[in-house]
Amino acid sequence: MSKPKKKARYSPFITVAGFLGPFLVLLVVFRLIPIAEVVLTSLQQFNLLRPDDREFIGADNFVRLASDYRFLKSMRVFSPVTMSIVVVTAIWRLLLDPANGIFNGVLERLGFEGLDFITSTSQALPSLMLMIIWYQIGFTMILFVAGLQAIPTVYAEAAAVDGAGPWQRFRFVTLPLLSRTTVFVVVIITIFSFQQFAPAYVMTRGGPSDSTLFVVYYLYQQAFSFLDPGYASAIAVVFLATVLVVALLQRRLLSRTDA
C-alpha cells in the first residue's frame, strides 16, 4: 500500500508576507526612499538650475538653520475636510479681503470699522488660524462620533443604575473610553497643522512681515524661490524630526493623563 501523501504546509510568514508585501513595497518606494533622498540632499549644496553640480557640505545646512531667524520664526507659526484646502483658502480669501470682503461688508453695514484681517501683522495669523480650525472641525467631529459609536452602551447604563448623573457618566465613563480616539485626533490634527502651506501661499504669501510664515511655505521658498534645495532639505529633516517628537510627546502625555 502506498503511503498517503502529506499535505503541503505553508509557513505563516508566507501568508503575512502576501498581505503586507504590496503595502511594504509602496511604503519603501513612496515614503522611505524619498525621506532618505531628502536626508542625503540636506547634506549637499547645489542650485536647481545646475542639479549635477553638487557639493557635499555635511552639517553646514543644519548649522545655518540655527541662526536663520526666518526659519525659527516659521517654527513658531503653526500654531470641513470634504473640500480641498486650496478651495477653502480661496473662499476665505474672499471673505477676509480688507477692501471687498464679505466680513468687512457686514461690519460696515452694522456701523463698525472694517478690519485688516490678512494685511495686519496682529490679525493675519489669528485669521488664518480661524480658517484652519473651521476646516478641521468636520474631520474631528467625524472621528469623535465614530469613537462614541464604538463605546458599548452597557457601561453608561450600568453607571446610571449605580446612580451616576449625566455629567458623571460623561466624566468617568465616556471620556476614559474615548482616550484612544482623543490621542489619535490630537496627534493627527497637530501633524496636519504643522503641514499647513496653502493658507500662507494663497492668502498672505507668508506676510505681512513673516507673521504667517509657516514652515512648509518657508521650505517652498528656499527650494523654488531661492533655488537652494540643500537648505530646503535640511529644513524638511528638522521639521520631520520636530513633528515626530511633538507627536510622541503628545501621545505619552495623553496616555499618562488617561491612566
Side-chain angles (χ1 to χ4, degrees), residues 5-257:
K5 295 183 179 180
K6 293 183 178 180
K7 292 183 178 181
R9 282 188 171 182
Y10 292 96
S11 170
F13 174 79
I14 298 177
T15 304
V16 173
F19 281 104
L20 294 182
F23 168 76
L24 292 177
V25 170
L26 294 175
L27 177 65
V28 170
V29 173
F30 294 104
R31 290 288 185 178
L32 299 184
I33 290 180
I35 290 175
E37 179 66 21
V38 168
V39 173
L40 179 62
T41 304
S42 70
L43 303 176
Q44 302 173 345
Q45 183 177 22
F46 64 97
N47 191 291
L48 280 179
L49 299 179
R50 300 187 301 275
D52 296 329
D53 186 14
R54 302 189 178 210
E55 178 185 358
F56 181 81
I57 59 174
D60 287 358
N61 281 324
F62 296 96
V63 174
R64 178 181 167 189
L65 281 176
S67 58
D68 186 345
Y69 81 94
R70 295 190 72 216
F71 168 72
L72 297 176
K73 185 173 185 178
S74 71
M75 289 291 286
R76 295 195 298 267
V77 186
F78 296 124
S79 334
V81 171
T82 55
M83 289 188 292
S84 166
I85 184 62
V86 176
V87 175
V88 171
T89 302
I91 293 173
W92 276 76
R93 176 69 176 82
L94 297 176
L95 295 174
L96 298 174
D97 185 84
N100 303 306
I102 296 176
F103 285 175
N104 271 347
V106 172
L107 289 175
E108 291 171 0
R109 283 186 174 273
L110 294 175
F112 297 98
E113 185 178 353
L115 300 176
D116 299 325
F117 289 110
I118 55 177
T119 57
S120 167
T121 56
S122 61
Q123 298 178 32
L125 182 58
S127 298
L128 264 62
M129 290 172 62
L130 175 65
M131 186 211 73
I132 294 170
I133 291 171
W134 177 86
Y135 179 74
Q136 293 175 345
I137 283 178
F139 178 62
T140 303
M141 290 300 101
I142 290 173
L143 293 177
F144 275 118
V145 168
L148 287 171
Q149 292 177 342
I151 298 177
T153 58
V154 63
Y155 296 113
E157 293 170 355
V161 171
D162 289 340
W167 169 250
Q168 291 175 318
R169 293 198 299 270
F170 176 75
R171 170 67 179 84
F172 297 105
V173 177
T174 304
L175 275 184
L177 293 176
L178 269 178
S179 61
R180 292 182 180 273
T181 302
T182 302
V183 171
F184 177 77
V185 168
V186 170
V187 172
I188 289 297
I189 292 301
T190 299
I191 294 174
F192 178 81
S193 300
F194 269 107
Q195 294 175 336
Q196 289 303 309
F197 169 79
Y201 181 78
V202 175
M203 297 178 70
T204 62
R205 298 288 177 171
S209 301
D210 292 342
S211 60
T212 58
L213 184 66
F214 298 139
V215 175
V216 178
Y217 181 69
Y218 184 57
L219 186 158
Y220 164 84
Q221 280 187 326
Q222 293 296 327
F224 300 106
S225 297
F226 305 141
L227 303 179
D228 193 349
Y231 189 55
S233 298
I235 295 174
V237 171
V238 173
F239 176 64
L240 175 62
T242 302
V243 172
L244 289 175
V245 169
V246 171
L248 291 174
L249 286 176
Q250 285 183 329
R251 185 176 184 276
R252 174 165 295 186
L253 290 174
L254 289 172
S255 299
R256 287 180 178 179
T257 302

